């Protein structure tokens, strides 16, 4: 037993370094949500032999949302150690306007994991804890969540009925152990919602909100881009 525990220590250290398990982060960032279960990781591209670079470059039009060509925009690819790459850790404001807002990947912050409260967040932190927020986070922090195999739901609306529906849907997904962030984003088109995962974005007017559309996006992209193999720790 002692040797088994020693063998597990590197994996446990990686989980702690990345902010804990998804279930722990969900519960901390959504205290009013029911205790989440830990989801079985879906069959990911990595399990099918697709590298993060291949997932990032997959422009398959049958997949939900718009493909955002990050390699073309940033002149490199994910994990490139001999030139530009699509996930550089930077400090200070990052201009995402070339790919459109909200961003669907790219350079981001990662000096330290963010706390639960945006008002208490140190400069250049990322990723943020998975959960439901009513205060905006910097896009630079949230892009790091997409690198960690998650989905970010952004909205810019004053329609509280729609916000309530998005919050209920997100909490249900968090309770399943899915890595999701819901956050207001005033820099996007007014009265719009956007769903993002690494290299994919689905943006639509609030009037077109359909919970099945959101759930399908999550089902397809949660754990699809998982370069750090975080989903492999889900049981």
């Amino acid at each position: 037993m002692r040797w088994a525990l020693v063998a597990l220590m590197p994996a446990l250290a990686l989980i702690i370094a990345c902010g804990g398990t998804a279930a722990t982060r969900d519960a901390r960032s959504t205290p009013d949500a029911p205790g989440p279960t830990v989801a079985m990781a879906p069959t990911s591209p990595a399990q099918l032999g697709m590298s993060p670079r291949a997932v990032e470059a997959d422009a398959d039009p049958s997949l939900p949302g718009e493909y955002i060509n990050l390699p073309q925009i940033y002149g490199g690819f994910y994990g490139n150690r001999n030139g530009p790459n699509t996930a550089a850790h930077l400090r200070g404001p990052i201009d995402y306007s070339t790919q459109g807002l909200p961003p669907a990947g790219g350079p981001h912050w990662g000096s330290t994991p963010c706390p639960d409260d945006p008002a208490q967040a140190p400069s250049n932190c990322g990723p943020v804890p998975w959960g439901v927020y009513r205060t905006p986070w910097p896009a630079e922090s949230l892009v790091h969540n997409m690198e960690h195999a998650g989905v970010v739901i952004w909205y810019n609306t004053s329609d509280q009925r729609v916000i309530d529906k998005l919050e209920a849907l997100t909490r249900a997904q968090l309770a399943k152990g899915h890595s999701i962030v819901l956050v207001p984003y005033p820099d996007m088109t007014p009265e719009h919602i956007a769903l993002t995962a690494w290299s994919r974005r689905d943006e639509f007017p609030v009037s077109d909100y359909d919970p099945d559309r959101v759930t399908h996006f999550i089902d397809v992209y949660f754990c699809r881009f998982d370069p750090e193999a975080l989903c492999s720790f889900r049981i």
Side-chain angles (χ1 to χ4, degrees):
M1 177 64 72
R2 181 177 63 184
W3 295 111
L5 290 173
V6 169
L8 284 172
M9 286 179 66
L12 292 173
L14 176 59
I15 294 172
I16 293 170
C18 290
T21 65
T24 300
R25 284 173 285 172
D26 295 344
R28 188 173 70 236
S29 55
T30 58
D32 53 342
T37 58
V38 179
M40 290 291 291
T43 301
S44 67
Q47 292 171 305
L48 298 175
M50 290 182 68
S51 67
R53 180 179 178 183
V55 174
E56 178 182 68
D58 186 1
D60 184 350
S62 70
L63 292 170
E66 171 192 7
Y67 172 64
I68 307 300
N69 193 336
L70 300 175
Q72 182 181 71
I73 293 169
Y74 296 107
F77 55 88
Y78 188 88
N80 185 15
R81 297 183 179 182
N82 299 310
N85 70 78
T86 56
H89 281 200
L90 303 180
R91 291 177 175 268
I94 299 172
D95 182 6
Y96 293 112
S97 60
T98 303
Q99 59 167 290
L101 299 176
H108 53 271
W109 293 345
S111 61
T112 186
C114 301
D116 295 336
D117 184 358
Q120 302 299 320
S123 300
N124 306 301
C125 73
V128 314
W130 308 110
V132 172
Y133 297 93
R134 295 180 178 176
T135 302
W137 278 99
E140 292 91 340
S141 298
L142 294 165
V143 169
H144 201 149
N145 288 75
M146 290 178 259
E147 186 188 19
H148 281 199
V151 172
V152 180
I153 304 173
W154 322 65
Y155 65 87
N156 184 11
T157 180
S158 58
D159 189 333
Q160 191 59 47
R161 293 173 300 176
V162 171
I163 295 172
D164 290 344
K165 291 176 181 178
L166 287 171
E167 290 186 351
L169 184 151
T170 302
R171 288 193 172 99
Q173 291 290 323
L174 292 166
K176 295 178 181 178
H178 293 169
S179 301
I180 312 293
V181 175
L182 172 68
V183 64
Y185 187 57
D187 291 340
M188 65 186 289
T189 304
E191 299 306 318
H192 271 227
I193 296 166
L195 319 172
T196 60
W198 195 268
S199 77
R200 288 281 172 169
R201 180 174 57 232
D202 184 12
E203 182 178 354
F204 49 89
V206 168
S207 58
D208 289 347
Y209 171 72
D210 178 354
D212 291 339
R213 179 174 185 168
V214 179
T215 301
H216 180 58
F217 189 95
I218 294 169
D219 288 344
V220 171
Y221 293 119
F222 166 55
C223 284
R224 186 172 190 275
F225 181 82
D226 184 23
E228 298 179 33
L230 299 178
C231 294
S232 66
F233 294 106
R234 295 175 175 271
I235 56 176

PDB file of all heavy atoms in Angstrom, residues 82-115:
ATOM      1  N   ASN A  82       9.814  25.947 -30.757  1.00  0.00           N
ATOM      2  CA  ASN A  82      10.840  26.532 -31.624  1.00  0.00           C
ATOM      3  C   ASN A  82      10.350  27.769 -32.365  1.00  0.00           C
ATOM      4  O   ASN A  82      10.894  28.123 -33.416  1.00  0.00           O
ATOM      5  CB  ASN A  82      11.320  25.478 -32.625  1.00  0.00           C
ATOM      6  CG  ASN A  82      11.939  24.270 -31.950  1.00  0.00           C
ATOM      7  OD1 ASN A  82      12.806  24.428 -31.098  1.00  0.00           O
ATOM      8  ND2 ASN A  82      11.488  23.081 -32.314  1.00  0.00           N
ATOM      9  N   GLY A  83       9.316  28.398 -31.829  1.00  0.00           N
ATOM     10  CA  GLY A  83       8.763  29.574 -32.475  1.00  0.00           C
ATOM     11  C   GLY A  83       7.445  29.948 -31.830  1.00  0.00           C
ATOM     12  O   GLY A  83       7.125  29.485 -30.727  1.00  0.00           O
ATOM     13  N   PRO A  84       6.664  30.762 -32.503  1.00  0.00           N
ATOM     14  CA  PRO A  84       5.394  31.206 -31.933  1.00  0.00           C
ATOM     15  C   PRO A  84       4.460  30.033 -31.632  1.00  0.00           C
ATOM     16  O   PRO A  84       4.443  29.032 -32.355  1.00  0.00           O
ATOM     17  CB  PRO A  84       4.805  32.099 -33.030  1.00  0.00           C
ATOM     18  CG  PRO A  84       5.971  32.524 -33.854  1.00  0.00           C
ATOM     19  CD  PRO A  84       6.919  31.360 -33.826  1.00  0.00           C
ATOM     20  N   ASN A  85       3.725  30.145 -30.553  1.00  0.00           N
ATOM     21  CA  ASN A  85       2.709  29.141 -30.239  1.00  0.00           C
ATOM     22  C   ASN A  85       1.417  29.838 -29.863  1.00  0.00           C
ATOM     23  O   ASN A  85       1.378  31.064 -29.675  1.00  0.00           O
ATOM     24  CB  ASN A  85       3.186  28.188 -29.143  1.00  0.00           C
ATOM     25  CG  ASN A  85       3.279  28.857 -27.789  1.00  0.00           C
ATOM     26  OD1 ASN A  85       2.276  29.057 -27.121  1.00  0.00           O
ATOM     27  ND2 ASN A  85       4.501  29.208 -27.373  1.00  0.00           N
ATOM     28  N   THR A  86       0.354  29.088 -29.739  1.00  0.00           N
ATOM     29  CA  THR A  86      -0.983  29.664 -29.564  1.00  0.00           C
ATOM     30  C   THR A  86      -1.405  29.799 -28.108  1.00  0.00           C
ATOM     31  O   THR A  86      -2.523  30.214 -27.841  1.00  0.00           O
ATOM     32  CB  THR A  86      -2.026  28.797 -30.288  1.00  0.00           C
ATOM     33  OG1 THR A  86      -1.931  27.450 -29.803  1.00  0.00           O
ATOM     34  CG2 THR A  86      -1.798  28.818 -31.789  1.00  0.00           C
ATOM     35  N   ALA A  87      -0.528  29.449 -27.178  1.00  0.00           N
ATOM     36  CA  ALA A  87      -0.940  29.460 -25.770  1.00  0.00           C
ATOM     37  C   ALA A  87       0.129  30.050 -24.861  1.00  0.00           C
ATOM     38  O   ALA A  87       0.317  29.596 -23.735  1.00  0.00           O
ATOM     39  CB  ALA A  87      -1.302  28.051 -25.314  1.00  0.00           C
ATOM     40  N   ALA A  88       0.807  31.069 -25.343  1.00  0.00           N
ATOM     41  CA  ALA A  88       1.860  31.686 -24.538  1.00  0.00           C
ATOM     42  C   ALA A  88       1.282  32.302 -23.274  1.00  0.00           C
ATOM     43  O   ALA A  88       0.185  32.875 -23.284  1.00  0.00           O
ATOM     44  CB  ALA A  88       2.567  32.756 -25.360  1.00  0.00           C
ATOM     45  N   HIS A  89       2.014  32.186 -22.176  1.00  0.00           N
ATOM     46  CA  HIS A  89       1.638  32.858 -20.931  1.00  0.00           C
ATOM     47  C   HIS A  89       2.258  34.249 -20.937  1.00  0.00           C
ATOM     48  O   HIS A  89       3.479  34.399 -20.973  1.00  0.00           O
ATOM     49  CB  HIS A  89       2.131  32.068 -19.721  1.00  0.00           C
ATOM     50  CG  HIS A  89       1.280  30.886 -19.387  1.00  0.00           C
ATOM     51  ND1 HIS A  89       1.281  30.278 -18.155  1.00  0.00           N
ATOM     52  CD2 HIS A  89       0.365  30.209 -20.124  1.00  0.00           C
ATOM     53  CE1 HIS A  89       0.419  29.269 -18.145  1.00  0.00           C
ATOM     54  NE2 HIS A  89      -0.145  29.207 -19.336  1.00  0.00           N
ATOM     55  N   LEU A  90       1.388  35.241 -20.910  1.00  0.00           N
ATOM     56  CA  LEU A  90       1.836  36.628 -20.975  1.00  0.00           C
ATOM     57  C   LEU A  90       1.379  37.389 -19.742  1.00  0.00           C
ATOM     58  O   LEU A  90       0.603  36.882 -18.930  1.00  0.00           O
ATOM     59  CB  LEU A  90       1.269  37.299 -22.234  1.00  0.00           C
ATOM     60  CG  LEU A  90       1.603  36.642 -23.578  1.00  0.00           C
ATOM     61  CD1 LEU A  90       0.951  37.431 -24.719  1.00  0.00           C
ATOM     62  CD2 LEU A  90       3.112  36.537 -23.791  1.00  0.00           C
ATOM     63  N   ARG A  91       1.841  38.608 -19.631  1.00  0.00           N
ATOM     64  CA  ARG A  91       1.401  39.520 -18.573  1.00  0.00           C
ATOM     65  C   ARG A  91       0.870  40.789 -19.217  1.00  0.00           C
ATOM     66  O   ARG A  91       1.322  41.180 -20.291  1.00  0.00           O
ATOM     67  CB  ARG A  91       2.552  39.850 -17.609  1.00  0.00           C
ATOM     68  CG  ARG A  91       2.980  38.675 -16.743  1.00  0.00           C
ATOM     69  CD  ARG A  91       4.170  39.022 -15.871  1.00  0.00           C
ATOM     70  NE  ARG A  91       4.504  37.943 -14.953  1.00  0.00           N
ATOM     71  CZ  ARG A  91       4.035  37.829 -13.721  1.00  0.00           C
ATOM     72  NH1 ARG A  91       3.208  38.765 -13.249  1.00  0.00           N
ATOM     73  NH2 ARG A  91       4.371  36.822 -12.961  1.00  0.00           N
ATOM     74  N   GLY A  92      -0.071  41.413 -18.555  1.00  0.00           N
ATOM     75  CA  GLY A  92      -0.637  42.637 -19.075  1.00  0.00           C
ATOM     76  C   GLY A  92      -1.758  42.380 -20.066  1.00  0.00           C
ATOM     77  O   GLY A  92      -2.045  41.224 -20.424  1.00  0.00           O
ATOM     78  N   PRO A  93      -2.409  43.443 -20.530  1.00  0.00           N
ATOM     79  CA  PRO A  93      -3.548  43.295 -21.447  1.00  0.00           C
ATOM     80  C   PRO A  93      -3.159  42.588 -22.742  1.00  0.00           C
ATOM     81  O   PRO A  93      -2.064  42.794 -23.272  1.00  0.00           O
ATOM     82  CB  PRO A  93      -3.972  44.747 -21.714  1.00  0.00           C
ATOM     83  CG  PRO A  93      -3.436  45.523 -20.554  1.00  0.00           C
ATOM     84  CD  PRO A  93      -2.158  44.850 -20.157  1.00  0.00           C
ATOM     85  N   ILE A  94      -4.056  41.748 -23.237  1.00  0.00           N
ATOM     86  CA  ILE A  94      -3.850  41.011 -24.481  1.00  0.00           C
ATOM     87  C   ILE A  94      -4.945  41.403 -25.464  1.00  0.00           C
ATOM     88  O   ILE A  94      -6.121  41.426 -25.106  1.00  0.00           O
ATOM     89  CB  ILE A  94      -3.873  39.485 -24.241  1.00  0.00           C
ATOM     90  CG1 ILE A  94      -2.748  39.087 -23.274  1.00  0.00           C
ATOM     91  CG2 ILE A  94      -3.741  38.727 -25.559  1.00  0.00           C
ATOM     92  CD1 ILE A  94      -2.803  37.647 -22.827  1.00  0.00           C
ATOM     93  N   ASP A  95      -4.561  41.723 -26.677  1.00  0.00           N
ATOM     94  CA  ASP A  95      -5.514  42.128 -27.708  1.00  0.00           C
ATOM     95  C   ASP A  95      -6.018  40.893 -28.454  1.00  0.00           C
ATOM     96  O   ASP A  95      -5.267  40.238 -29.168  1.00  0.00           O
ATOM     97  CB  ASP A  95      -4.840  43.098 -28.680  1.00  0.00           C
ATOM     98  CG  ASP A  95      -5.789  43.614 -29.758  1.00  0.00           C
ATOM     99  OD1 ASP A  95      -7.006  43.310 -29.680  1.00  0.00           O
ATOM    100  OD2 ASP A  95      -5.315  44.322 -30.673  1.00  0.00           O
ATOM    101  N   TYR A  96      -7.307  40.574 -28.260  1.00  0.00           N
ATOM    102  CA  TYR A  96      -7.910  39.415 -28.926  1.00  0.00           C
ATOM    103  C   TYR A  96      -8.756  39.816 -30.135  1.00  0.00           C
ATOM    104  O   TYR A  96      -9.460  38.981 -30.699  1.00  0.00           O
ATOM    105  CB  TYR A  96      -8.801  38.651 -27.946  1.00  0.00           C
ATOM    106  CG  TYR A  96      -8.064  37.971 -26.816  1.00  0.00           C
ATOM    107  CD1 TYR A  96      -8.215  38.404 -25.508  1.00  0.00           C
ATOM    108  CD2 TYR A  96      -7.234  36.884 -27.050  1.00  0.00           C
ATOM    109  CE1 TYR A  96      -7.561  37.766 -24.458  1.00  0.00           C
ATOM    110  CE2 TYR A  96      -6.569  36.247 -26.020  1.00  0.00           C
ATOM    111  CZ  TYR A  96      -6.737  36.691 -24.717  1.00  0.00           C
ATOM    112  OH  TYR A  96      -6.087  36.058 -23.682  1.00  0.00           O
ATOM    113  N   SER A  97      -8.695  41.075 -30.527  1.00  0.00           N
ATOM    114  CA  SER A  97      -9.612  41.569 -31.549  1.00  0.00           C
ATOM    115  C   SER A  97      -9.439  40.863 -32.896  1.00  0.00           C
ATOM    116  O   SER A  97     -10.395  40.755 -33.669  1.00  0.00           O
ATOM    117  CB  SER A  97      -9.440  43.078 -31.726  1.00  0.00           C
ATOM    118  OG  SER A  97      -8.113  43.409 -32.123  1.00  0.00           O
ATOM    119  N   THR A  98      -8.240  40.363 -33.182  1.00  0.00           N
ATOM    120  CA  THR A  98      -8.011  39.693 -34.473  1.00  0.00           C
ATOM    121  C   THR A  98      -8.874  38.451 -34.626  1.00  0.00           C
ATOM    122  O   THR A  98      -9.346  38.133 -35.718  1.00  0.00           O
ATOM    123  CB  THR A  98      -6.534  39.304 -34.626  1.00  0.00           C
ATOM    124  OG1 THR A  98      -5.729  40.475 -34.504  1.00  0.00           O
ATOM    125  CG2 THR A  98      -6.271  38.671 -35.982  1.00  0.00           C
ATOM    126  N   GLN A  99      -9.118  37.753 -33.541  1.00  0.00           N
ATOM    127  CA  GLN A  99      -9.937  36.539 -33.613  1.00  0.00           C
ATOM    128  C   GLN A  99     -11.392  36.802 -33.289  1.00  0.00           C
ATOM    129  O   GLN A  99     -12.237  35.929 -33.453  1.00  0.00           O
ATOM    130  CB  GLN A  99      -9.404  35.460 -32.670  1.00  0.00           C
ATOM    131  CG  GLN A  99      -9.350  35.857 -31.195  1.00  0.00           C
ATOM    132  CD  GLN A  99      -9.129  34.659 -30.286  1.00  0.00           C
ATOM    133  OE1 GLN A  99     -10.010  33.832 -30.134  1.00  0.00           O
ATOM    134  NE2 GLN A  99      -7.962  34.588 -29.685  1.00  0.00           N
ATOM    135  N   GLY A 100     -11.730  38.017 -32.847  1.00  0.00           N
ATOM    136  CA  GLY A 100     -13.098  38.335 -32.462  1.00  0.00           C
ATOM    137  C   GLY A 100     -13.322  38.084 -30.991  1.00  0.00           C
ATOM    138  O   GLY A 100     -12.559  37.377 -30.333  1.00  0.00           O
ATOM    139  N   LEU A 101     -14.375  38.719 -30.464  1.00  0.00           N
ATOM    140  CA  LEU A 101     -14.672  38.596 -29.039  1.00  0.00           C
ATOM    141  C   LEU A 101     -16.003  37.890 -28.822  1.00  0.00           C
ATOM    142  O   LEU A 101     -16.937  38.084 -29.591  1.00  0.00           O
ATOM    143  CB  LEU A 101     -14.717  39.985 -28.396  1.00  0.00           C
ATOM    144  CG  LEU A 101     -13.408  40.794 -28.462  1.00  0.00           C
ATOM    145  CD1 LEU A 101     -13.628  42.189 -27.886  1.00  0.00           C
ATOM    146  CD2 LEU A 101     -12.286  40.073 -27.731  1.00  0.00           C
ATOM    147  N   PRO A 102     -16.069  37.097 -27.752  1.00  0.00           N
ATOM    148  CA  PRO A 102     -14.999  36.769 -26.821  1.00  0.00           C
ATOM    149  C   PRO A 102     -13.999  35.804 -27.442  1.00  0.00           C
ATOM    150  O   PRO A 102     -14.307  35.109 -28.413  1.00  0.00           O
ATOM    151  CB  PRO A 102     -15.749  36.115 -25.652  1.00  0.00           C
ATOM    152  CG  PRO A 102     -16.959  35.514 -26.279  1.00  0.00           C
ATOM    153  CD  PRO A 102     -17.357  36.458 -27.370  1.00  0.00           C
ATOM    154  N   PRO A 103     -12.791  35.746 -26.894  1.00  0.00           N
ATOM    155  CA  PRO A 103     -11.755  34.898 -27.485  1.00  0.00           C
ATOM    156  C   PRO A 103     -12.062  33.413 -27.313  1.00  0.00           C
ATOM    157  O   PRO A 103     -12.783  33.005 -26.406  1.00  0.00           O
ATOM    158  CB  PRO A 103     -10.498  35.299 -26.708  1.00  0.00           C
ATOM    159  CG  PRO A 103     -11.010  35.814 -25.401  1.00  0.00           C
ATOM    160  CD  PRO A 103     -12.310  36.491 -25.727  1.00  0.00           C
ATOM    161  N   ALA A 104     -11.453  32.618 -28.185  1.00  0.00           N
ATOM    162  CA  ALA A 104     -11.616  31.165 -28.140  1.00  0.00           C
ATOM    163  C   ALA A 104     -10.251  30.486 -28.095  1.00  0.00           C
ATOM    164  O   ALA A 104     -10.003  29.499 -28.777  1.00  0.00           O
ATOM    165  CB  ALA A 104     -12.407  30.681 -29.345  1.00  0.00           C
ATOM    166  N   GLY A 105      -9.378  31.023 -27.278  1.00  0.00           N
ATOM    167  CA  GLY A 105      -8.029  30.498 -27.160  1.00  0.00           C
ATOM    168  C   GLY A 105      -7.014  31.589 -27.387  1.00  0.00           C
ATOM    169  O   GLY A 105      -7.354  32.769 -27.536  1.00  0.00           O
ATOM    170  N   GLY A 106      -5.748  31.207 -27.424  1.00  0.00           N
ATOM    171  CA  GLY A 106      -4.687  32.168 -27.655  1.00  0.00           C
ATOM    172  C   GLY A 106      -3.855  32.426 -26.410  1.00  0.00           C
ATOM    173  O   GLY A 106      -4.010  31.764 -25.373  1.00  0.00           O
ATOM    174  N   PRO A 107      -2.945  33.390 -26.490  1.00  0.00           N
ATOM    175  CA  PRO A 107      -2.135  33.756 -25.319  1.00  0.00           C
ATOM    176  C   PRO A 107      -3.035  34.136 -24.152  1.00  0.00           C
ATOM    177  O   PRO A 107      -4.150  34.633 -24.348  1.00  0.00           O
ATOM    178  CB  PRO A 107      -1.325  34.961 -25.822  1.00  0.00           C
ATOM    179  CG  PRO A 107      -1.347  34.844 -27.311  1.00  0.00           C
ATOM    180  CD  PRO A 107      -2.654  34.218 -27.668  1.00  0.00           C
ATOM    181  N   HIS A 108      -2.543  33.931 -22.946  1.00  0.00           N
ATOM    182  CA  HIS A 108      -3.394  34.181 -21.782  1.00  0.00           C
ATOM    183  C   HIS A 108      -2.540  34.364 -20.541  1.00  0.00           C
ATOM    184  O   HIS A 108      -1.322  34.262 -20.574  1.00  0.00           O
ATOM    185  CB  HIS A 108      -4.379  33.019 -21.592  1.00  0.00           C
ATOM    186  CG  HIS A 108      -3.733  31.678 -21.542  1.00  0.00           C
ATOM    187  ND1 HIS A 108      -3.506  30.928 -22.691  1.00  0.00           N
ATOM    188  CD2 HIS A 108      -3.240  30.933 -20.518  1.00  0.00           C
ATOM    189  CE1 HIS A 108      -2.926  29.800 -22.364  1.00  0.00           C
ATOM    190  NE2 HIS A 108      -2.742  29.774 -21.040  1.00  0.00           N
ATOM    191  N   TRP A 109      -3.234  34.636 -19.424  1.00  0.00           N
ATOM    192  CA  TRP A 109      -2.551  34.791 -18.145  1.00  0.00           C
ATOM    193  C   TRP A 109      -2.450  33.449 -17.434  1.00  0.00           C
ATOM    194  O   TRP A 109      -3.318  32.590 -17.585  1.00  0.00           O
ATOM    195  CB  TRP A 109      -3.306  35.768 -17.261  1.00  0.00           C
ATOM    196  CG  TRP A 109      -3.305  37.178 -17.772  1.00  0.00           C
ATOM    197  CD1 TRP A 109      -2.501  37.708 -18.742  1.00  0.00           C
ATOM    198  CD2 TRP A 109      -4.152  38.233 -17.317  1.00  0.00           C
ATOM    199  NE1 TRP A 109      -2.796  39.046 -18.917  1.00  0.00           N
ATOM    200  CE2 TRP A 109      -3.809  39.392 -18.066  1.00  0.00           C
ATOM    201  CE3 TRP A 109      -5.159  38.323 -16.365  1.00  0.00           C
ATOM    202  CZ2 TRP A 109      -4.440  40.619 -17.867  1.00  0.00           C
ATOM    203  CZ3 TRP A 109      -5.802  39.544 -16.173  1.00  0.00           C
ATOM    204  CH2 TRP A 109      -5.431  40.686 -16.913  1.00  0.00           C
ATOM    205  N   GLY A 110      -1.413  33.318 -16.618  1.00  0.00           N
ATOM    206  CA  GLY A 110      -1.246  32.090 -15.854  1.00  0.00           C
ATOM    207  C   GLY A 110      -0.185  32.219 -14.783  1.00  0.00           C
ATOM    208  O   GLY A 110       0.487  31.245 -14.453  1.00  0.00           O
ATOM    209  N   SER A 111      -0.036  33.427 -14.218  1.00  0.00           N
ATOM    210  CA  SER A 111       0.995  33.623 -13.197  1.00  0.00           C
ATOM    211  C   SER A 111       0.691  32.838 -11.934  1.00  0.00           C
ATOM    212  O   SER A 111       1.601  32.380 -11.239  1.00  0.00           O
ATOM    213  CB  SER A 111       1.142  35.113 -12.864  1.00  0.00           C
ATOM    214  OG  SER A 111      -0.073  35.637 -12.343  1.00  0.00           O
ATOM    215  N   THR A 112      -0.613  32.662 -11.647  1.00  0.00           N
ATOM    216  CA  THR A 112      -1.064  31.894 -10.489  1.00  0.00           C
ATOM    217  C   THR A 112      -2.545  31.606 -10.668  1.00  0.00           C
ATOM    218  O   THR A 112      -3.238  32.394 -11.332  1.00  0.00           O
ATOM    219  CB  THR A 112      -0.824  32.676  -9.172  1.00  0.00           C
ATOM    220  OG1 THR A 112      -1.136  31.852  -8.049  1.00  0.00           O
ATOM    221  CG2 THR A 112      -1.679  33.926  -9.112  1.00  0.00           C
ATOM    222  N   PRO A 113      -3.087  30.520 -10.132  1.00  0.00           N
ATOM    223  CA  PRO A 113      -4.532  30.295 -10.231  1.00  0.00           C
ATOM    224  C   PRO A 113      -5.300  31.416  -9.540  1.00  0.00           C
ATOM    225  O   PRO A 113      -4.880  31.941  -8.520  1.00  0.00           O
ATOM    226  CB  PRO A 113      -4.728  28.948  -9.518  1.00  0.00           C
ATOM    227  CG  PRO A 113      -3.400  28.264  -9.623  1.00  0.00           C
ATOM    228  CD  PRO A 113      -2.386  29.359  -9.530  1.00  0.00           C
ATOM    229  N   CYS A 114      -6.439  31.774 -10.114  1.00  0.00           N
ATOM    230  CA  CYS A 114      -7.257  32.844  -9.549  1.00  0.00           C
ATOM    231  C   CYS A 114      -8.060  32.350  -8.342  1.00  0.00           C
ATOM    232  O   CYS A 114      -8.413  31.170  -8.265  1.00  0.00           O
ATOM    233  CB  CYS A 114      -8.244  33.376 -10.596  1.00  0.00           C
ATOM    234  SG  CYS A 114      -7.479  34.050 -12.094  1.00  0.00           S
ATOM    235  N   PRO A 115      -8.417  33.236  -7.420  1.00  0.00           N
ATOM    236  CA  PRO A 115      -9.317  32.885  -6.324  1.00  0.00           C
ATOM    237  C   PRO A 115     -10.769  32.912  -6.799  1.00  0.00           C
ATOM    238  O   PRO A 115     -11.051  33.192  -7.966  1.00  0.00           O
ATOM    239  CB  PRO A 115      -9.043  33.989  -5.298  1.00  0.00           C
ATOM    240  CG  PRO A 115      -8.704  35.178  -6.147  1.00  0.00           C
ATOM    241  CD  PRO A 115      -7.939  34.624  -7.327  1.00  0.00           C
TER     242      PRO A 115
END
